[in-house]
């Protein structure tokens, strides 16, 4: 090999080495901490009052916390290393993409902006365009910090808007800042974020079932949500027109409907949804329209949000009433001992959320009618029919406990209430049935049997004045007594004797009260999506509580600052 050829090889090698060196220098210069820190500070310094905009109109959900984090770090990048994003930075992007599997909404964390910026950086593998500009690295670093702080807060406290959290004396953003600092010390980003999640079985069971739901869900189409109950007919008509266009049930040029056109449209929807075709709109129609995968997922988000905010530890033995499910369950050491259909309060006479302990059981109870029912139902009916009280078997008593003759009262002189107690005596016709379960609460609510047992055949069982009617009351009272520890006798046999005594009292139609020593904890709660028998069950939002949280979520994920 001659010297001339070797010389050429040397020159080519030198050129290649020079190019590689330039690229390497370009990388180190572009991703240098100092350059990116300068750009981060410039982006924040260029914010316009009221400090809500930074370049490219990217939106921040936690602007104050994000700015504070960078000030504490001297504006140095938190997710960038010499060759680009850190392992935690890449993991965070993947987390945001798969946020649904944590019951979170990916769009709440600038998913599109982050993904777009990240993809541009990835495509520029030769460091010729996007990667050469340190501002691009600064921008994605800020977006990732904002996302991390938001995700941490949402996993910890739910989608409660920051302005509401700021009024909560127990709220502190310090732990999210500490978690952010820890991401620079370890690559276990998932472990850091998951530490904010509830450990409760209800939450974890729902989360475990999410992947199966998501794999089968279709989020490709967006449908208009129809508000229920209908409080504004014009708004309802506008929503159903828009929703019908989305399913090609109306031409795009339709803007309004008269009553006949609306009825005909409802009939077409009812036929498509396999509902009774009567042209009348109401609960069933709107439930069918809102039964989309997107709405189901949002219902999961709403209920995981409830579980994040209501972190409860339950004892080994307790009674659980989930109002929207219309069911009661008794759990003992993780096993379901009793399950029963229940009837709950109507939407205008709701059953409240209660935590208490069942401490008494009464056979053939009397019913002292609440003042709210007296003013809304009893008094108007008395005025219509003087014989109403006698026909219903109600008695009235004055403040001293003396029985009063209804015919001696001038009922027309009362408008909103009466100075008497109204009592229905015990018996088979009593509204409470033949068994009542007492537990201390400020609402005068209890569990009880009913004299209208056929109503348990209804699928929609929001029918009572507020108390909870129990179909399997007999199984419940026997369980409570048999698992009770008597004050002076722990022998289970004596509890069996007491069960026999209760049966005797029931057969004799006697009013008796049993005090419970080992009181049974009771939790009345409201969840419209829950894990049951290995699958996610969805329940109707009977009291419209989902809409309240839905609005809070929409408010909290609406970003409050802009990256200009």
């Amino acid at each position: 090999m001659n010297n001339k050829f070797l010389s050429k090889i040397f020159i080519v090698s030198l050129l290649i080495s020079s190019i590689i060196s330039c690229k390497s220098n370009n990388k180190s210069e572009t991703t240098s901490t100092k350059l990116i820190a300068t750009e981060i500070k410039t982006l924040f310094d260029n914010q316009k009052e009221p400090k809500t905009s930074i370049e490219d109109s990217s939106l921040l959900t936690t602007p104050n916390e994000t700015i504070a984090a960078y000030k504490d770090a001297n504006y140095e990048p938190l997710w960038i290393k010499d060759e680009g994003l850190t392992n935690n930075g890449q993991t965070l992007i993947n987390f945001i993409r798969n946020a649904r599997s944590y019951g979170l909404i990916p769009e709440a964390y600038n998913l599109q902006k982050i993904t777009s910026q990240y993809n541009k950086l990835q495509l520029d593998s030769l460091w010729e365009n996007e990667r050469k500009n340190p501002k691009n690295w600064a921008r994605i670093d800020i977006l990732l910090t904002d996302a991390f702080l938001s995700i941490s807060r949402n996993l910890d406290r739910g989608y409660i808007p920051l302005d509401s959290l700021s009024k909560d004396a127990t709220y502190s953003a310090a732990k999210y800042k500490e978690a952010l600092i820890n991401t620079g010390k370890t690559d276990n980003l998932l472990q850091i974020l998951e530490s904010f999640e509830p450990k409760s079985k209800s939450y974890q069971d729902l989360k475990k079932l999410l992947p199966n739901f998501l794999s089968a869900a279709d989020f490709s189409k967006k449908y208009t949500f129809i508000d229920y109950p209908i409080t504004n007919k014009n708004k309802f008509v506008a929503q159903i027109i828009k929703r019908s266009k989305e399913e090609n049930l109306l031409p795009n040029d339709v803007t309004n409907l008269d009553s006949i056109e609306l009825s005909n449209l409802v009939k077409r929807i009812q036929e498509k949804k396999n509902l009774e075709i009567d042209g009348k709109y109401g609960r069933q129609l709107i439930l069918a329209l809102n039964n989309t995968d997107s709405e189901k997922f949002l219902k999961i988000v709403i209920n995981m949000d409830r579980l994040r905010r209501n972190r409860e530890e339950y004892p080994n033995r307790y009674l659980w009433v989930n109002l929207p499910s219309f069911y009661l369950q008794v759990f003992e050491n993780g096993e379901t001992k009793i399950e029963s259909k229940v009837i709950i309060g109507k939407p205008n006479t709701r059953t409240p959320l209660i935590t208490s302990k069942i401490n008494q059981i009464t056979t053939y109870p009397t019913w002292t009618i609440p003042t709210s029912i007296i003013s809304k139902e009893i008094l108007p009916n008395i005025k219509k029919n003087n014989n109403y009280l006698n026909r219903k078997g109600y008695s009235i008593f004055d403040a001293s406990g003396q029985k009063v003759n209804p015919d001696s009262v001038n009922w027309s002189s009362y408008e909103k209430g009466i100075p008497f107690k109204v009592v229905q005596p015990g018996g088979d016709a009593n509204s409470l049935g033949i068994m009542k379960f007492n537990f201390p609460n400020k609402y005068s609510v209890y569990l009880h049997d009913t004299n209208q047992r056929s109503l348990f055949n209804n699928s929609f069982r929001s029918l009572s004045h507020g108390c909870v009617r129990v179909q399997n009351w007999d199984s419940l009272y026997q369980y409570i007594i048999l698992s009770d520890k008597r004050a002076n006798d722990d022998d289970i046999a004596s509890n069996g004797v007491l069960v026999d005594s209760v049966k005797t009292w029931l057969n004799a139609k006697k009013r008796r009260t049993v005090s419970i020593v080992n009181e049974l904890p009771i939790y009345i709660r409201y969840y419209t999506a829950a894990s049951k028998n290995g699958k996610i069950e969805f329940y109707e939002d009977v009291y419209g509580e989902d809409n309240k949280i839905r609005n809070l979520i929409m408010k909290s994920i609406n970003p409050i600052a802009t990256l200009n």
Side-chain angles (χ1 to χ4, degrees), residues 224-228 230 236-237 239-241 243-244 247 249 257 262-292 540:
T224 299
F225 178 78
I226 312 271
D227 293 329
Y228 188 81
I230 299 168
F236 164 72
V237 172
Q239 288 178 335
I240 202 168
I241 287 175
R243 181 70 171 81
S244 298
E247 291 201 50
L249 291 171
L257 298 170
L262 178 59
S263 177
N264 289 334
L265 173 61
V266 169
K267 288 178 182 178
R268 291 199 296 275
I269 296 171
Q270 289 171 330
E271 182 179 12
K272 184 174 182 178
K273 303 295 182 183
N274 296 316
L275 301 174
E276 179 185 354
I277 303 173
D278 58 10
K280 298 177 181 178
Y281 58 85
R283 186 175 63 86
Q284 290 295 340
L285 178 79
I286 295 172
L287 283 176
L289 286 171
N290 287 338
N291 189 33
T292 65
E540 183 176 343

Side-chain angles (χ1 to χ4, degrees), residues 63-210:
N64 295 334
E65 294 173 12
T66 301
I67 293 170
Y70 280 108
K71 283 183 179 178
D72 290 345
N74 294 319
Y75 296 98
E76 292 186 0
L78 304 174
W79 309 95
I80 310 297
K81 63 180 181 181
D82 290 341
E83 296 298 315
L85 287 180
T86 62
N87 290 336
N88 278 340
Q90 294 176 32
T91 302
L92 182 55
I93 290 176
N94 289 331
F95 183 99
I96 296 169
R97 286 171 174 162
N98 299 295
R100 285 194 179 101
S101 62
Y102 286 81
L104 298 175
I105 301 173
E107 292 75 14
Y109 312 110
N110 275 306
L111 173 65
Q112 290 182 338
K113 288 283 185 182
I114 291 173
T115 302
S116 175
Q117 185 70 68
Y118 180 66
N119 289 341
K120 288 177 183 178
L121 292 169
Q122 288 294 97
L123 288 172
D124 186 20
S125 58
L126 296 179
W127 295 73
E128 293 177 338
N129 298 303
E130 293 293 325
R131 293 196 181 201
K132 286 176 65 176
N133 188 349
K135 182 180 287 186
N136 292 332
W137 295 102
R139 189 179 292 116
I140 196 169
D141 202 86
I142 293 172
L143 290 175
L144 288 175
T145 297
D146 178 66
F148 177 88
L149 292 171
S150 296
I151 291 167
S152 299
R153 187 182 73 248
N154 295 153
L155 289 174
D156 183 38
R157 301 295 292 262
Y159 280 110
I160 301 176
L162 273 172
D163 56 355
S164 298
L165 277 175
S166 63
K167 300 171 186 175
D168 185 347
T170 65
Y171 173 72
S172 171
K175 55 183 168 182
Y176 314 133
K177 176 183 170 183
E178 182 181 351
L180 180 63
I181 293 170
N182 287 337
T183 61
K185 301 175 182 178
T186 173
D187 282 341
N188 294 329
L189 181 124
L190 287 181
Q191 184 178 340
I192 292 171
L193 288 176
E194 289 173 355
S195 69
F196 289 112
E197 291 187 287
K199 302 300 185 289
S200 67
K201 187 176 186 300
S202 300
Y203 180 91
Q204 293 296 333
D205 284 352
L206 194 53
K207 181 183 171 184
K208 286 176 185 175
L209 294 173
L210 257 176

Side-chain angles (χ1 to χ4, degrees), residues 268-322:
R268 291 199 296 275
I269 296 171
Q270 289 171 330
E271 182 179 12
K272 184 174 182 178
K273 303 295 182 183
N274 296 316
L275 301 174
E276 179 185 354
I277 303 173
D278 58 10
K280 298 177 181 178
Y281 58 85
R283 186 175 63 86
Q284 290 295 340
L285 178 79
I286 295 172
L287 283 176
L289 286 171
N290 287 338
N291 189 33
T292 65
D293 286 339
S294 293
E295 286 304 322
K296 285 180 178 178
F297 173 68
L298 188 53
K299 194 179 280 281
I300 293 171
V301 173
I302 287 169
N303 285 276
M304 290 183 76
D305 206 67
R306 284 190 175 106
L307 289 164
R308 292 181 188 113
R309 287 183 281 118
N310 305 322
R311 301 190 180 214
E312 298 179 308
E313 296 292 333
Y314 302 110
N316 291 333
R317 188 179 71 104
Y318 64 96
L319 186 151
W320 175 265
V321 179
N322 182 23

Side-chain angles (χ1 to χ4, degrees), residues 344-372:
I344 67 170
K346 291 178 280 189
N348 61 339
T349 55
R350 299 181 178 191
T351 301
L353 304 186
I354 292 173
T355 301
S356 189
K357 292 182 179 181
I358 295 176
N359 60 1
Q360 282 185 335
I361 297 173
T362 300
T363 61
Y364 277 90
T366 59
W367 182 35
T368 301
I369 300 175
T371 55
S372 59

Side-chain angles (χ1 to χ4, degrees), residues 226-501:
I226 312 271
D227 293 329
Y228 188 81
I230 299 168
T231 56
N232 184 316
K233 185 179 178 182
N234 291 334
K235 183 179 179 182
F236 164 72
V237 172
Q239 288 178 335
I240 202 168
I241 287 175
K242 187 176 180 182
R243 181 70 171 81
S244 298
K245 289 177 182 178
E246 292 162 354
E247 291 201 50
N248 299 316
L249 291 171
L250 276 180
N252 286 330
D253 59 353
V254 174
T255 58
N256 201 4
L257 298 170
D258 60 29
S259 58
I260 294 175
E261 291 170 332
L262 178 59
S263 177
N264 289 334
L265 173 61
V266 169
K267 288 178 182 178
R268 291 199 296 275
I269 296 171
Q270 289 171 330
E271 182 179 12
K272 184 174 182 178
K273 303 295 182 183
N274 296 316
L275 301 174
E276 179 185 354
I277 303 173
D278 58 10
K280 298 177 181 178
Y281 58 85
R283 186 175 63 86
Q284 290 295 340
L285 178 79
I286 295 172
L287 283 176
L289 286 171
N290 287 338
N291 189 33
T292 65
D293 286 339
S294 293
E295 286 304 322
K296 285 180 178 178
F297 173 68
L298 188 53
K299 194 179 280 281
I300 293 171
V301 173
I302 287 169
N303 285 276
M304 290 183 76
D305 206 67
R306 284 190 175 106
L307 289 164
R308 292 181 188 113
R309 287 183 281 118
N310 305 322
R311 301 190 180 214
E312 298 179 308
E313 296 292 333
Y314 302 110
N316 291 333
R317 188 179 71 104
Y318 64 96
L319 186 151
W320 175 265
V321 179
N322 182 23
L323 297 172
S325 74
F326 302 126
Y327 268 89
L328 166 157
Q329 293 165 295
V330 175
F331 295 105
E332 185 175 331
N333 296 322
E335 294 183 8
T336 303
K337 293 296 184 180
I338 296 174
E339 184 169 76
S340 173
K341 291 180 178 180
V342 296
I343 294 171
I344 67 170
K346 291 178 280 189
N348 61 339
T349 55
R350 299 181 178 191
T351 301
L353 304 186
I354 292 173
T355 301
S356 189
K357 292 182 179 181
I358 295 176
N359 60 1
Q360 282 185 335
I361 297 173
T362 300
T363 61
Y364 277 90
T366 59
W367 182 35
T368 301
I369 300 175
T371 55
S372 59
I373 299 177
I374 292 173
S375 60
K376 292 177 182 178
E377 297 182 23
I378 305 296
L379 183 56
N381 280 308
I382 293 174
K383 289 182 177 181
K384 292 177 184 177
N385 184 350
N386 287 335
N387 196 43
Y388 174 79
L389 290 174
N390 291 328
R391 182 167 57 82
K392 299 289 286 187
Y394 297 160
S395 300
I396 60 173
F397 299 86
D398 61 22
S400 65
Q402 294 297 310
K403 193 172 183 179
V404 177
N405 184 348
D407 296 331
S408 67
V409 179
N410 179 15
W411 297 107
S412 62
S413 64
Y414 300 108
E415 293 297 328
K416 295 184 178 180
I418 58 176
F420 309 109
K421 282 186 177 181
V422 180
V423 178
Q424 184 183 30
D428 292 328
N430 188 282
S431 296
L432 305 186
I434 61 177
M435 178 75 69
K436 181 174 78 164
F437 303 84
N438 287 322
F439 44 90
N441 67 91
K442 63 182 180 181
Y443 306 102
S444 299
V445 164
Y446 30 81
L447 309 182
H448 63 86
D449 175 31
T450 177
N451 63 340
Q452 296 177 297
R453 298 185 182 100
S454 62
L455 294 179
F456 288 111
N457 295 325
N458 294 5
S459 59
F460 183 78
R461 296 191 293 276
S462 176
L463 305 166
S464 82
H465 287 103
C467 289
V468 179
R469 306 175 193 174
V470 182
Q471 184 179 42
N472 297 339
W473 56 269
D474 51 345
S475 298
L476 181 58
Y477 92 77
Q478 291 184 54
Y479 170 83
I480 292 174
I481 291 177
L482 289 173
S483 60
D484 191 21
K485 294 187 182 297
R486 310 308 303 163
N488 299 312
D489 191 349
D490 289 342
D491 183 2
I492 197 69
S494 66
N495 291 356
V497 171
L498 183 54
V499 169
D500 290 338
S501 297

